[in-house]
């Protein structure tokens, strides 16, 4: 005999949820993904540029990493890992950073977690008290949601396409006096752009100056969260820079967010890390220890071995960059040709990550009033699925969208571009 509880459960009731959860906005990307799944199930051809993920068919993880995970499982590496990460992996991350970025950290400054998101959550929890101010650029990923979750005050800085959607020191300066946390990301999700060394140097110097004043006043310092999860994926002449190589004095106030998810197409392997001041890292360890957001032990052991295999890591990244870049370039060149033909579209040349920023200037044309109207038009008539910048904190309907290439083939992109051009010609009356 079984007890059917369905009649007792019903739809979601907000009176059973906390105030924080009732005010938490759900993922726009997941909502859009649901629409796409329905269309695909109906047999519609869709070029899916929505997910910040990798299709294993297009981008499998490195075979050496997969073999190492299997070997670790067979060796019985299935119990709890240490709360700050397996020692061999922490050491391998330190060697990786010194070798690739020229940054030398002590062992106590590295923390391993189950991907980058637990790291970000731990930074917010370890640093920010309710009512304190978090400064973050818009568009950016999830900073608005984490700020809400810790009960902090939002200080969003609206960025501009002309600056690659990266904040300038002039834009940030008015907010820094009262800020507790400054969130930066480069290469940036959702835009695929990178901050310039000059802009990053100016911001870093301004934070150091602010913290010297605070130290004299006996106030808590301003902490910088520098998310560089995509730093291995840069293209053309673009070069990734860290704030610490430009302004080493910022080191006591900077926490890096990183991991293998994007560098090695290993989003589901769930191994991320943070590097930063020992005083913050130790508190983050306490937070994640209670949450239990550890990376699985077998995966940690495997990643440690893989990171130390310099031939395997460099060889994989060389191919990975080429395959991501060719997809981004194909989209950018396609839009550039459409723009040259007088169609209302433009994009920013790819610099890093797996994203392209594109603007479809259709608001006010063909009865289109919002970004979501444009999104639905491209999805319904061109089978072209993308995400509006509203999913990344921007409120205005500017026509800007994120296009993610980790789950599509070159053939899908080539087939989709003529469909997009036909829709734009119709909408623009060309």
């Amino acid at each position: 005999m079984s007890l059917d509880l369905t009649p007792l459960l019903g739809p979601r009731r907000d009176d059973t949820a906390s105030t924080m959860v009732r005010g938490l906005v759900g993922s726009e990307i997941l909502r859009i993904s649901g629409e796409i799944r329905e269309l695909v199930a109906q047999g519609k051809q869709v070029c899916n540029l929505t997910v910040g993920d990798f299709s294993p068919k297009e981008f499998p993880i490195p075979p050496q990493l997969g073999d190492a995970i299997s070997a670790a499982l067979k060796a019985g590496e299935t119990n709890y890992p240490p709360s700050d990460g397996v020692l061999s992996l922490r050491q391998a991350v330190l060697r990786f950073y010194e070798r690739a970025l020229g940054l030398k950290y002590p062992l106590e400054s590295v923390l391993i977690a189950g991907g980058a998101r637990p790291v970000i959550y731990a930074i917010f929890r370890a640093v920010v008290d309710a009512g304190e101010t978090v400064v973050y650029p818009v568009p950016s990923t999830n900073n608005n949601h984490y700020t809400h979750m810790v009960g902090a005050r939002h200080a969003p800085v609206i960025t501009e396409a002309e600056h690659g959607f990266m904040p300038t020191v002039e834009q940030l300066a008015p907010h820094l006096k009262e800020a507790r946390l400054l969130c930066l990301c480069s290469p940036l999700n959702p835009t695929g752009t990178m901050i310039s060394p000059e802009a990053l140097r100016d911001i870093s110097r301004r934070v150091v100056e602010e913290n010297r004043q605070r130290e004299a006043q006996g106030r808590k310092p301003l902490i910088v969260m520098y998310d560089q999860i995509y730093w291995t994926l840069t293209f053309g002449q673009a070069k990734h820079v860290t704030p610490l190589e430009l302004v080493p004095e910022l080191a006591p106030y900077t926490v890096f967010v990183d991991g293998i998810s994007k560098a090695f197409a290993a989003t589901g392997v769930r191994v991320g890390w943070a590097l930063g001041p020992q005083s913050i890292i130790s508190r983050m360890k306490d937070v994640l220890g209670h949450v239990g957001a550890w990376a699985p032990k077998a995966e940690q052991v495997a990643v440690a071995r893989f990171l130390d295999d310099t031939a395997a890591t460099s060889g994989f990244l060389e191919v990975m960059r080429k395959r991501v870049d060719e997809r981004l370039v194909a989209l950018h060149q396609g839009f550039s040709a459409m723009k040259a033909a007088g169609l209302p579209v433009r994009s920013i040349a790819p610099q890093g990550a797996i994203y392209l920023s594109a603007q479809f200037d259709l608001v006010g044309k063909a009865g289109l009033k919002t970004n979501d109207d444009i999104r639905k038009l491209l999805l319904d008539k061109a089978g072209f699925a993308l995400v509006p910048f509203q999913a990344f904190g921007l409120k205005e309907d500017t026509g800007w969208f994120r296009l993610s290439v980790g789950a599509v083939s070159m053939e899908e992109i080539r087939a989709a571009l003529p469909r997009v051009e036909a829709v734009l010609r119709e909408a623009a009356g060309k």
Side-chain angles (χ1 to χ4, degrees), residues 148-161:
H148 171 80
M149 281 194 274
V150 299
R153 190 177 76 83
H154 299 255
V157 173
I158 309 302
T159 56
E160 301 168 350

Side-chain angles (χ1 to χ4, degrees), residues 63-145:
Q64 299 91 339
L65 177 57
D67 291 345
I69 293 172
S70 297
L73 287 170
K74 289 178 181 177
E77 302 285 6
T78 54
N79 58 320
Y80 282 135
S83 59
D84 53 359
V86 170
L87 177 60
S88 61
L89 178 55
R90 295 166 68 208
Q91 293 171 331
V93 168
L94 295 179
R95 288 190 290 270
F96 183 47
Y97 262 49
E98 186 173 6
R99 184 171 67 242
L101 294 172
L103 300 177
K104 187 174 183 178
Y105 276 89
L107 184 63
E108 295 78 14
S109 284
V110 62
L111 170 67
I112 309 299
R117 291 198 188 199
V119 167
I120 295 172
Y121 179 75
I123 293 171
F124 272 78
R125 276 293 176 204
V127 168
V128 183
D129 283 326
E132 292 185 321
T133 299
V134 177
V135 182
Y136 55 88
V138 172
S140 64
T141 302
N142 284 332
N143 291 314
N144 53 339
H145 302 311

